[in-house]
């Protein structure tokens, strides 16, 4: 029997967003193919992107949801990335770290700024007890003065981004939050990070999982040790084991770790290798320990940001602490901003003006002095601690000296000082 053909129905034109997703998939496959000759299938790339987007949050709800088309290569122009580590995060393993009392707090807050020409980068760490004004967020009204680590409880990552943006005057283009387990996953993925200690560091208030599933207290020897997994997380969390046993000393340890991490990533060409970058990004997508802003939750964006960092010399990557004082009688035990120094710092950052740190720049709890001669050392360590660079010695000529701010460059080898007593 002859059948009558059904009338042809023309589909509606695809939305621009759908085309962007298709273009992004093509960019992912092309980028990976450059290195791995197609060993990552298209369906894998699509799944990868879907996982990232499914676990993302919108930190710019007031903006239109326009997605820029993807591109292979370094990010064009400058950008700012907020990195947050939240204590008491719901995704944190309570079996490994114990059930912790209290609200979730954004105890680690770092803002990375990369200049327009990709020649300089500055990472600013904000003390968790820094007393600042807070804007209105989803779960809280504006406040004139409160510690910065209360921002998470007032609206999660989006509120932290808004708070840091208003404090610094810098737009927060991208943001990521992570748990203790995230540090373990990342350090395992890159094979460990060397850290330097002037003496044995112990902290019986820090518990971390070792490679055998057992819980250990932090106990690190003098010298250079390649830390990874739970040991890396333990070192980064330790406050009572280093310096003056305060949060500022812990920030110094975290910046020492990150400087060493950057040196390792650049020394083994990870930032220029699409295959290695894809592997690291895949760690992020496979775990629930990371929360990305929607703008960052795209593999092409993650690769392009890493490509931009690839061109920055180690001596032009500077880690600093937000300037503040712990001697304000109105806020005992807290950190109050040193406004003049902070204003100068962020004026230089906004202008993409390179700077050097002044004679008072040595962070609390660290030194550039070499470790003891008989200390065990790792021959793979990227910088010899016996030949430290003086942070107070600027390059001949040019960049202004920034006083009242502590920190160091990624090229410098710093060593953590054990806590006394």
């Amino acid at each position: 029997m002859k059948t009558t053909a059904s009338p042809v129905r023309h589909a509606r034109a695809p939305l621009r967003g759908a085309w962007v997703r298709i273009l992004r998939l093509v960019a992912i496959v092309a980028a990976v193919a450059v290195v791995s000759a197609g060993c990552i299938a298209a369906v894998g790339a699509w799944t990868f992107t879907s996982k990232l987007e499914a676990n993302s949050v919108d930190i710019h709800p007031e903006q239109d949801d326009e997605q820029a088309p993807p591109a292979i290569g370094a990010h064009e122009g400058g950008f700012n990335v907020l990195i947050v580590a939240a204590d008491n995060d719901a995704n944190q393993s309570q079996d490994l770290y114990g059930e912790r009392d209290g609200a979730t707090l954004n105890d680690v807050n770092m803002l990375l700024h990369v200049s327009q020409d990709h020649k300089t980068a500055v990472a600013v760490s904000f003390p968790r007890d820094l007393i600042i004004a807070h804007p209105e967020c989803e779960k809280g009204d504006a406040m004139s003065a409160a510690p910065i680590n209360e921002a998470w409880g007032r609206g999660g990552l989006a509120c932290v981004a808004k708070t840091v943006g208003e404090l610094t005057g810098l737009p927060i283009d991208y943001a990521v939050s992570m748990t203790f387990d995230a540090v373990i996953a990342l350090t395992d993925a890159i094979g460990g990070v060397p850290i330097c200690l002037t003496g044995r560091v112990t902290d019986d208030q820090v518990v971390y999982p070792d490679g055998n599933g057992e819980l250990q207290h932090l106990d690190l020897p003098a010298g250079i040790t390649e830390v990874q997994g739970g040991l890396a997380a333990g070192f980064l969390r330790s406050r009572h084991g280093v310096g003056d046993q305060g949060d500022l000393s812990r920030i110094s340890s975290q910046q020492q770790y990150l400087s060493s991490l950057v040196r390792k990533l650049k020394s083994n060409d990870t930032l220029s290798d699409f295959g290695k970058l894809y592997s690291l990004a895949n760690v992020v997508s496979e775990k629930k320990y990371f929360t990305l802003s929607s703008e960052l939750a795209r593999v092409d964006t993650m690769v392009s940001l890493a490509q931009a960092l690839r061109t920055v010399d180690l001596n032009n990557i500077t880690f600093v602490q937000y300037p503040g004082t712990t001697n304000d009688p109105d806020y005992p035990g807290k950190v109050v901003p040193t406004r003049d120094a902070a204003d100068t710092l962020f004026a230089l950052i906004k202008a993409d003006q390179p700077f050097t740190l002044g004679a008072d720049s040595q962070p609390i709890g660290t030194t550039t002095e070499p470790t003891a001669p008989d200390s065990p050392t790792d021959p793979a360590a990227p910088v010899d601690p016996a030949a430290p660079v003086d942070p107070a010695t600027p390059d001949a000529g040019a960049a202004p000296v920034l006083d009242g701010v502590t920190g160091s460059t990624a090229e410098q080898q710093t060593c953590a000082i054990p806590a006394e007593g």
Side-chain angles (χ1 to χ4, degrees), residues 27-380:
I28 295 168
V29 176
V32 174
V34 169
V35 173
S36 56
C39 65
I40 303 298
V43 64
W46 182 267
T47 301
F48 174 91
T49 302
S50 298
K51 288 180 179 178
L52 287 175
E53 293 179 345
N55 194 36
S56 66
V57 299
D58 186 4
I59 64 171
H60 301 126
E62 72 284 355
Q63 297 180 5
D64 293 334
D65 189 20
E66 275 297 309
Q67 300 183 36
I72 301 174
H75 184 283
E76 293 185 4
F79 56 89
N80 302 303
V81 183
L82 176 66
I83 303 162
V84 176
D87 200 0
N88 285 353
D89 189 287
N91 293 318
Q92 182 175 290
S93 297
Q94 293 187 355
D95 291 341
L96 298 180
Y97 302 104
E99 186 172 352
R100 303 167 69 84
D101 297 329
T104 301
L105 303 170
N106 47 298
D107 274 351
V108 177
N109 306 274
M110 178 179 290
L111 181 61
L112 172 67
H113 171 80
V114 176
S115 64
Q116 289 282 332
D117 59 8
H118 300 170
K119 291 184 178 179
T120 62
V122 182
V124 183
S125 292
F126 302 85
R128 65 175 186 175
D129 291 328
L130 184 69
I131 301 296
I132 60 169
H134 287 247
E136 180 181 358
C137 286
E138 178 187 3
K139 298 180 181 180
D141 296 332
M143 299 186 294
S144 60
I148 193 173
N149 68 350
E150 294 184 13
W152 186 278
R154 305 177 67 250
L157 184 59
C159 186
V160 181
K162 185 177 181 181
T163 303
V164 173
E166 293 198 4
L167 173 65
T168 64
L170 294 172
I172 308 302
D173 303 305
Y174 309 100
V176 56
S177 70
M178 59 185 68
T179 67
F180 298 155
D181 300 287
V183 176
I184 294 175
L186 284 177
T187 52
D188 286 348
I190 65 176
V193 174
I195 60 168
C196 174
L197 307 174
T198 63
R200 180 185 176 193
V201 169
T202 62
D203 190 340
D204 60 8
Q205 298 192 37
V206 168
V207 177
Y208 70 89
D210 64 14
N212 299 316
E214 300 292 330
L215 296 181
Q216 304 289 341
H217 292 292
L218 186 67
D219 190 344
L220 286 166
I224 297 178
T225 301
E226 190 98 7
V227 297
Q228 64 184 93
L231 185 58
F235 173 70
L236 292 172
R237 292 174 56 209
S238 177
R239 178 163 62 92
H240 298 283
V242 293
D244 64 355
Q245 303 187 54
D247 188 52
L248 300 185
S249 291
R250 176 163 54 185
I251 288 177
S252 299
S253 297
Q254 293 164 355
Q255 292 189 339
Q256 179 206 153
Y257 173 91
L258 290 171
S259 289
S260 183
L261 172 64
V262 170
R263 290 195 296 270
K264 181 166 186 176
L265 292 177
K266 290 177 77 71
S267 68
N268 63 13
D269 295 325
T270 296
L271 298 179
S272 60
D273 187 321
F274 283 110
K276 291 179 180 179
L277 289 176
Y278 185 92
S279 296
L280 287 177
N282 193 48
V283 171
V284 177
S285 73
E286 289 294 331
K287 304 295 182 181
K288 296 181 180 179
Y289 315 139
F290 299 86
T291 300
L292 307 179
S293 65
S294 53
E295 296 85 355
L296 184 59
R298 307 166 186 169
V299 68
D300 55 297
T301 300
M302 297 170 72
V303 170
S304 72
L305 298 184
Q307 288 284 292
L309 279 171
R310 176 179 59 88
T311 63
V312 185
D313 290 337
L314 289 173
N315 197 46
N316 292 328
I317 301 175
T318 306
F319 291 87
V320 299
Q321 295 188 21
Y322 188 96
T325 177
T326 56
N327 298 321
D328 192 310
D330 292 333
Y331 298 98
K334 306 296 183 181
V335 181
V336 175
T338 305
R339 294 294 182 185
D340 289 345
D343 290 346
T344 302
L345 169 64
F346 284 98
L348 292 170
I349 292 175
K350 291 173 189 176
D352 284 341
Q353 170 67 59
F355 58 85
T356 58
L357 297 173
D360 59 349
S361 65
Q362 187 64 50
I364 296 174
T366 66
T367 181
T368 54
E369 292 300 315
T371 54
D374 57 350
S375 297
T377 58
D378 181 353

